[in-house]
């Protein structure tokens, strides 16, 4: 039989022990073919909708330009009576102008954006373990996409800032698992050779979604901000339907959970896409018998990591570093209005979005050619130094004419380094944790970036007059907290583990390692 013929060398290479799930699945599906690779790439498209939802508030919550209608030159809308000033464009172009939030507190202006990231935190804590236990990667991704999309559609009809903030919370709650489930599922559906590639594909599509925002916002610059949400969310709903019919569940997760027959059927479907056929799945039978499915509770995977202190310390270290990266990653695009010099919002956001593509390429090159720890330490340090440089370089109004361009360049450089660090951290965390807890761990690492998004809008608001409270805090956070990466084990060249016990065997006497 075809399956039995290929089993002998695999078992021999493991000293006649039970073959790993990784090797068994790769043996049966053969080389990843174009059709299966395209399906994995289809999963990466979810990152485009993810990116749009993350940064849409840069435009929908921006304060539009205004001018005085009388003889006054240096006037303030908060000190003038209605009719003495007006917006340069229709008030409906931003929720800030439509609901007259200009003269309110910075906390109220930043409430919707902060609510979105708070929803990310809540969803990351409550939902991330479900993809490892009850729901699996595929169902979790579909549920997250539908929740995010429906909330986005409803946002277009909200009557006030409070409902708007509540819907942004729900949208963030669903969005919390879109990128994580897509990333983990796509890497578990392809062979070892293509894992880094499909991971980077998600980051590339995130760039596509991010880059589409300034173009969409510019096209709708005189229309209601509500249309932004409709044009993002309706295609996302359609995409969810497409995924439902075209994408399989992770066979690795099915085997780890003891769902042998479902795993065999999924492997059979993948093999047929790759032009491979077999009538025996004896190695998958062996794997399914040997793997411990673990607890069934909602937080079973978190408890599993807590019980093993090496896993908890490893998770705490990389999550703390991720928090520092998140402050810059989410804060810099929101902070472009504080660069001075009457900078163009559409162009500045486009510059930041453009940094995502080379960051994805650089992260792919780094993962293939360099150590993970050294790369991350260099990236977080560079991001911190560039962010601090934005405090030192004078604004155009107080310095030379070239200072605004120099500040913009250092801001983009800091954002570029944080983008690359974010990409590498996510791929690194896939290698740091086994299949049984991988989605939970990667989800928590990704959500550790989010508190930076909660904090960043407030730092941006109070840093309009004191840049050291925005750019300065950004630089200290990403540079200082990034030092914890030095405590993590190097994973380059290692085979991914499937259980906690297997990870412990591959890393004798773990401390943080």
């Amino acid at each position: 039989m075809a399956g039995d013929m290929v089993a002998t060398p695999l078992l021999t290479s493991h000293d006649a022990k039970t073959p790993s799930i990784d090797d068994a699945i790769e043996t049966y599906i053969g080389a990843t073919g174009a059709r299966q690779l395209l399906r994995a790439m289809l999963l990466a498209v979810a990152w485009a909708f993810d990116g749009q939802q993350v940064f849409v508030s840069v435009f929908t919550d921006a304060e539009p330009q205004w001018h005085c209608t009388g003889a006054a030159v240096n006037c303030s809308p908060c000190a003038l009576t209605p009719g003495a000033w007006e917006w340069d464009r229709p008030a409906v172009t931003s929720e800030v102008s439509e609901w007259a939030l200009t003269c309110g507190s910075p906390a109220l202006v930043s409430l919707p954006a902060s609510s979105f990231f708070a929803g990310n935190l809540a969803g990351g804590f409550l939902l991330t373990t479900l993809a490892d236990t009850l729901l699996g990667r595929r169902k979790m991704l579909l549920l997250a996409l539908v929740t995010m999309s429906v909330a986005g559609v409803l946002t277009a009809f909200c009557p006030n800032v409070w409902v708007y903030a509540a819907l942004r919370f729900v949208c963030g709650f669903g969005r919390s698992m879109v990128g994580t489930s897509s990333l983990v599922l796509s890497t578990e559906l392809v062979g070892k050779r293509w894992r880094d590639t499909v991971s980077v594909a998600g980051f590339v599509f995130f760039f596509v979604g991010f880059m589409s925002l300034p173009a969409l916002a510019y096209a709708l610059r005189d229309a209601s901000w509500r249309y932004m949400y409709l044009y993002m969310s309706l295609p996302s709903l359609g995409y969810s339907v497409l995924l439902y019919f075209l994408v399989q569940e992770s066979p690795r997760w099915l085997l780890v959970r003891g769902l042998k027959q479902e795993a065999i059927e999924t492997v059979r479907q993948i093999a047929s896409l790759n032009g491979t056929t077999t009538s025996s799945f004896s190695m998958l039978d062996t794997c399914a018998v040997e793997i411990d499915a673990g607890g069934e509770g909602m937080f079973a995977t978190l408890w599993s990591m807590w019980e093993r202190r090496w896993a908890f310390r490893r998770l705490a270290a990389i999550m703390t570093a991720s928090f520092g990266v998140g402050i810059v990653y989410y804060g810099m695009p929101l902070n472009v209005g504080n660069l001075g010099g009457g900078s163009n919002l559409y162009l500045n956001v486009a510059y930041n979005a453009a940094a995502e593509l080379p960051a994805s390429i650089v992260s792919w090159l780094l993962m293939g050619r360099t150590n993970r720890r050294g790369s991350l330490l260099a990236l977080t340090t560079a991001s911190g130094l560039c962010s601090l440089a934005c405090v030192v370089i004078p604004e155009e109004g107080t310095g030379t004419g070239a200072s605004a361009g120099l500040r913009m360049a250092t801001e983009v450089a800091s954002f570029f380094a944080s983008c690359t660090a974010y990409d590498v951290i996510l791929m690194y965390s896939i290698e740091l944790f086994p299949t049984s807890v991988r989605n939970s761990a990667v989800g928590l690492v990704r959500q550790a970036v989010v508190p930076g998004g909660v904090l960043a809008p407030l730092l941006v608001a109070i840093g309009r007059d004191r840049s050291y409270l925005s750019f300065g805090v950004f630089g200290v956070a990403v540079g200082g907290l990034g030092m914890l990466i030095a405590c993590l084990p190097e994973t380059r060249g290692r085979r991914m583990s499937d259980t906690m016990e297997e990870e412990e065997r591959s890393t004798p006497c773990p401390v943080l390692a």
Side-chain angles (χ1 to χ4, degrees):
M1 307 290 282
D4 295 328
M5 290 175 64
V6 296
T8 302
L10 181 63
L11 291 173
T12 301
S13 66
H14 284 77
D15 301 324
K17 294 181 181 179
T18 301
S20 70
I21 289 179
D22 203 24
D23 291 336
I25 289 177
E26 185 126 3
T27 298
Y28 286 121
I29 67 175
T32 301
R35 294 169 65 190
Q36 181 59 19
L37 187 60
L38 284 174
R39 292 203 179 189
M41 292 294 187
L42 178 63
L43 282 165
V45 176
W47 283 77
F49 301 111
D50 180 294
Q52 288 180 330
Q53 292 290 349
V54 168
F55 293 113
V56 65
S57 59
V58 175
F59 297 103
T60 59
D61 300 2
E63 181 177 340
Q65 296 294 317
W66 54 272
H67 62 273
C68 298
T69 56
V73 177
N74 297 316
C75 57
S76 169
C78 301
L80 296 175
T81 58
W85 63 278
E86 62 183 19
W87 300 109
D88 290 353
R89 294 203 301 269
V92 294
T93 58
S94 168
E95 57 95 13
V96 174
S97 53
E98 179 176 341
W99 292 323
L101 304 179
T102 305
C103 300
S105 69
L108 185 61
V109 175
S110 63
L111 177 63
S114 294
S115 295
F116 174 80
F117 290 114
N120 269 256
L121 281 177
F125 179 71
L126 295 174
L127 299 179
T128 188
T129 60
L130 294 180
D132 280 327
T133 54
L134 302 177
L135 294 181
R137 284 77 158 113
R138 178 177 175 271
K139 290 180 181 178
M140 188 72 260
L141 175 59
L142 291 172
L143 177 62
L145 274 169
V146 170
T147 301
M148 181 182 76
S149 304
V150 171
V153 171
L154 293 177
T155 300
F157 304 97
C158 59
N160 54 55
V161 69
W162 305 106
V163 176
Y164 178 38
L167 287 171
R168 291 303 287 159
F169 179 91
V170 175
C171 185
F173 188 86
R175 178 262 167 188
S176 64
M177 293 309 300
V178 171
T180 302
S181 298
S182 169
L183 178 65
V184 173
L185 180 55
S186 63
T187 56
E188 292 181 351
L189 284 175
V190 297
K192 301 173 187 176
R193 178 186 173 188
W194 294 101
R195 282 178 191 148
D196 288 347
T197 302
V198 297
S199 296
V200 172
F203 308 145
V204 171
F205 276 106
F206 189 91
F207 153 77
V208 172
F210 191 0
M211 182 60 85
S212 70
L213 281 177
L216 182 61
Y218 185 76
L220 298 172
R221 60 190 180 279
D222 292 325
S224 173
W225 58 272
R226 301 169 187 271
Y227 286 108
M228 289 280 290
Y229 286 100
L230 286 178
Y231 285 132
M232 291 187 310
S233 303
L234 290 176
S236 181
L237 273 176
Y239 169 75
S240 304
V241 176
L242 191 64
L243 283 188
Y244 178 82
F245 291 104
L246 292 181
V247 175
Q248 304 99 341
E249 180 57 90
S250 164
R252 296 178 68 116
W253 177 80
L254 291 170
L255 283 172
V256 167
R257 301 306 300 171
L259 303 173
K260 182 179 64 176
Q261 293 304 318
E262 291 90 335
I264 290 175
E265 181 58 33
T266 300
V267 170
R268 193 192 305 276
Q269 293 174 9
I270 296 174
S272 65
L273 287 173
N274 296 333
T276 305
T277 58
T278 182
S279 57
S280 172
F281 292 91
S282 57
M283 283 189 291
L284 293 184
D285 288 336
T286 305
C287 292
V289 170
E290 295 296 327
I291 292 295
D292 178 15
E296 295 292 336
M298 182 175 181
F299 300 108
T301 54
L302 297 182
W303 180 250
S304 178
M305 287 186 280
W306 170 258
E307 285 184 316
R308 295 164 174 83
R309 291 308 173 93
W310 62 266
F312 176 77
R313 293 173 185 142
R314 187 182 293 188
L315 183 63
I318 195 168
M319 284 180 65
T320 304
S322 297
F323 168 70
V325 170
I327 290 181
V328 177
Y329 183 76
Y330 289 122
M332 281 298 187
L334 295 174
N335 208 27
V336 292
N338 293 351
L339 289 171
S343 51
N344 186 295
L345 179 63
Y346 302 106
L347 287 178
N348 285 343
V349 174
Y351 293 151
N352 281 277
E356 290 273 1
L357 182 58
S360 300
I361 297 172
V362 170
S363 65
W364 176 64
L365 293 173
L366 291 175
M367 289 294 289
R369 302 182 183 184
T370 64
N371 292 339
R372 282 65 168 129
R373 287 188 303 184
S375 299
L376 284 172
L377 285 171
L379 290 166
T380 52
T381 301
S383 180
L385 291 175
C386 290
S387 184
L388 291 173
C390 291
V391 179
V392 178
I393 299 171
E395 295 186 19
E396 188 173 13
T398 59
T400 65
S403 62
L406 184 58
R407 290 189 101 207
M408 187 68 225
T410 54
E411 187 273 341
V412 171
S414 179
F415 182 70
F416 169 79
S418 70
C419 284
T420 310
Y422 180 36
D423 294 350
V424 173
I425 277 180
L426 289 180
M427 292 189 283
Y428 186 23
S429 50
I430 287 176
E431 299 174 344
L432 281 172
F433 300 94
T435 302
S436 58
V437 299
R438 181 170 297 128
N439 205 94
S440 297
V442 175
L444 289 172
V445 170
R446 189 168 185 246
Q447 294 315 308
V449 182
V450 175
V454 178
L455 182 62
L458 184 58
L459 289 174
V460 169
I462 64 178
R464 286 174 180 151
D465 298 319
R466 299 180 292 271
S467 62
Y468 63 87
L469 292 177
S470 54
F471 291 114
V473 173
F474 293 171
V476 171
V478 69
L481 299 180
M483 293 294 107
L484 289 174
I485 297 294
C487 301
L488 296 170
E490 183 54 56
T491 59
R492 184 187 179 196
R494 285 180 49 194
R495 178 173 58 83
M496 290 198 305
S497 302
D498 292 302
T499 64
M500 300 294 274
E501 293 75 18
E502 185 181 348
E503 179 66 20
E504 289 173 346
R505 288 195 298 268
S506 67
T507 312
C509 302
V511 182
L512 276 184

